[in-house]
């Protein structure tokens, strides 16, 4: 039997992975959830037809969302994580003794249940005593927060469906308000390559720039995301990710497979066409 998963990147470009075995398919109140096993990428999580993570390359995304801000300020203690129901960001944050509280706000409880059961590689630290999980809308949650967190990580889906509100000026403004004085916000920032993704990332950048005094973009190579070239946003109330890079990260002795402090300095260097997209946002 020849069974394939396909994500359409545009009408004329698509990416397919051969399914070894379907694991589970469910319909939640918010979205369709599929998990399958593949030979090429191990276990795969798909939401509403969009690939969210694979066992083989999720480390790249989760390490880059977490260790970039943590290396800039290793004293970060209170963290708000929006989305991230698979637990990958939590797993990386839990490596830091300095982190005392992680509030995770995921709209879809079923995603967390499915990941606990079928994706233990990412969900493994969701029971850490520092983690509080709230099943509610991230936009509404953050509206109620003032001056509470050192770091906000926005690990959302794409800007359509349940994740749409997490790309608005109102949301970024509330994240700013939720942050303490040295606060940092990191968000998944889509891909610069295919036109629709590029438009979404330009729009997000424009909104973030209108709220935060520091709003920069960094990149990573993620083989199973559209075009393989993925962006992240680094926004802060003042800290610069390179000039203020704290020297202590290497001495923490954390084990990573993608992130290192050399790459930290390099990943903010963007291709010319991406720089132009940002300037014209
Ligand atoms: N969050 C964002 C993935 C976006 C992928 N987009 C796509 N395949 N069209 C992933 C969640 C991982 N914690």
């Amino acid at each position: 039997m020849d069974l394939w998963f396909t994500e359409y990147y545009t009408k004329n470009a698509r990416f397919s992975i051969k399914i070894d075995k379907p694991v589970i398919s469910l319909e939640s109140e918010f979205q369709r959830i599929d998990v399958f096993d593949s030979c090429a990428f191990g276990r795969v999580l798909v939401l509403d037809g969009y690939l969210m993570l694979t066992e083989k390359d999720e480390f790249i995304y989760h390490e880059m969302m977490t260790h970039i801000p943590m290396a800039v300020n290793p004293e970060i203690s209170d963290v708000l994580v929006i989305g991230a129901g698979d637990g990958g960001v939590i797993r990386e944050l839990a490596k830091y003794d300095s982190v005392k509280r992680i509030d995770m706000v995921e709209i879809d409880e079923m995603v967390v249940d499915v990941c606990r059961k079928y994706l233990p590689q990412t969900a493994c630290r969701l029971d850490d005593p520092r983690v509080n999980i709230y099943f509610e809308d991230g936009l509404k949650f953050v509206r109620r927060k003032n001056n509470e967190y050192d770091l906000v990580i926005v690990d959302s889906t794409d800007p359509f469906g349940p994740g749409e509100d997490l790309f608005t000026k109102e949301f970024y403004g509330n994240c700013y308000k939720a942050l303490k004085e040295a606060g940092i916000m990191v968000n998944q920032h889509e891909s610069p390559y295919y036109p629709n993704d590029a438009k979404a990332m330009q729009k997000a950048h424009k909104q973030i720039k209108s709220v935060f005094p520091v709003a920069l973009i960094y990149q990573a190579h993620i083989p199973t995301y559209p075009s393989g070239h993925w962006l992240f946003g680094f926004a802060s109330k003042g800290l610069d990710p390179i000039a203020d890079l704290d020297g202590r990260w290497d001495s923490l002795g954390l084990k990573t497979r993608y992130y290192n402090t050399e790459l930290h300095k390099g990943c903010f260097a963007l291709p010319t066409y991406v720089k132009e997209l940002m300037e014209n946002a």
Side-chain angles (χ1 to χ4, degrees):
M1 195 166 67
D2 211 15
L3 203 54
W4 290 75
F5 161 76
T6 296
E7 180 175 330
Y8 278 78
Y9 290 165
T10 73
K11 215 166 67 215
N12 302 310
R14 59 192 189 188
F15 174 72
S16 297
I17 299 176
K18 190 174 188 316
I19 297 175
D20 183 28
K21 240 189 355 250
V23 173
I24 191 166
S25 293
L26 292 165
E27 194 79 49
S28 81
E29 188 189 331
F30 302 99
Q31 56 207 336
R32 181 185 163 135
I33 305 167
D34 292 284
V35 178
F36 65 85
D37 283 329
S38 68
C39 295
F41 295 102
R43 193 154 281 187
V44 180
L45 171 69
V46 176
L47 297 179
D48 274 347
Y50 297 102
L51 188 150
M52 288 295 121
L53 67 84
T54 83
E55 211 172 2
K56 289 268 169 77
D57 69 352
E58 56 84 9
F59 68 100
I60 305 172
Y61 179 92
H62 294 123
E63 288 185 14
M64 289 300 274
M65 285 206 103
T66 310
H67 302 301
I68 292 278
M70 290 304 298
V72 172
N73 178 10
E75 265 147 42
I76 283 171
S77 132
D78 298 287
V79 187
L80 171 62
V81 182
I82 310 261
D86 53 78
V89 166
I90 306 296
R91 178 192 66 209
E92 294 306 310
L93 281 170
K95 292 178 176 171
Y96 292 86
D97 292 336
S98 60
V99 170
K100 297 289 180 268
R101 168 170 64 136
I102 305 170
D103 289 347
M104 174 181 135
V105 186
E106 164 62 57
I107 199 165
D108 196 344
E109 185 165 3
M110 207 182 265
V111 170
V112 177
D113 291 343
V114 164
C115 293
R116 279 188 195 276
K117 198 152 172 206
Y118 301 104
L119 280 156
Q121 177 178 310
T122 51
C124 55
R125 300 300 297 270
L126 286 174
D127 291 322
D128 187 290
R130 296 168 291 175
V131 179
N132 313 299
I133 306 182
Y134 301 88
F135 294 111
E136 61 172 283
D137 182 344
L139 179 73
K140 291 193 185 130
F141 184 92
V142 80
R143 264 187 206 144
R144 306 194 296 267
K145 300 291 167 184
N146 288 300
N147 196 28
E148 244 185 73
Y149 299 102
D150 304 296
L151 170 64
V152 176
I153 297 182
V154 188
D155 178 10
S156 64
T157 51
D158 299 287
F160 25 84
E164 207 171 325
D165 289 347
L166 305 181
F167 288 83
T168 58
K169 185 168 176 182
E170 194 218 333
F171 173 70
Y172 298 130
N174 285 321
C175 289
Y176 183 92
K177 185 171 68 63
L179 284 167
K180 297 186 211 165
E181 206 181 298
I184 300 173
M185 179 185 84
V186 167
N187 68 312
Q188 83 84 356
H189 216 301
E190 299 294 299
S191 166
Y193 189 73
Y194 294 113
N196 281 343
D197 298 334
K199 253 187 241 139
M201 77 91 188
Q202 281 181 300
K203 203 178 140 222
H205 182 63
K206 190 176 153 197
Q207 315 285 21
I208 295 170
K209 230 173 49 181
S210 73
V211 170
F212 284 86
V214 177
L216 297 167
I217 302 288
Y218 61 100
Q219 60 184 6
H221 170 236
I222 302 177
T224 59
Y225 282 175
S227 85
H229 181 190
W230 207 253
L231 303 179
F232 301 90
F234 179 102
S236 81
K237 295 197 172 183
L239 285 174
D240 181 277
I242 297 173
D244 296 317
L245 176 58
D246 187 281
R248 281 173 290 177
W249 194 84
D250 287 308
S251 67
L252 297 176
L254 302 183
K255 210 174 125 26
T256 51
R257 287 168 67 206
Y258 192 84
Y259 178 83
N260 59 59
T261 45
E262 277 306 297
L263 180 90
H264 183 119
K265 293 168 209 154
C267 69
F268 286 87
L270 300 174
T272 303
Y273 88 93
V274 180
K275 277 175 43 182
E276 282 168 5
L277 283 171
M278 309 319 308
E279 280 155 22
N280 300 329

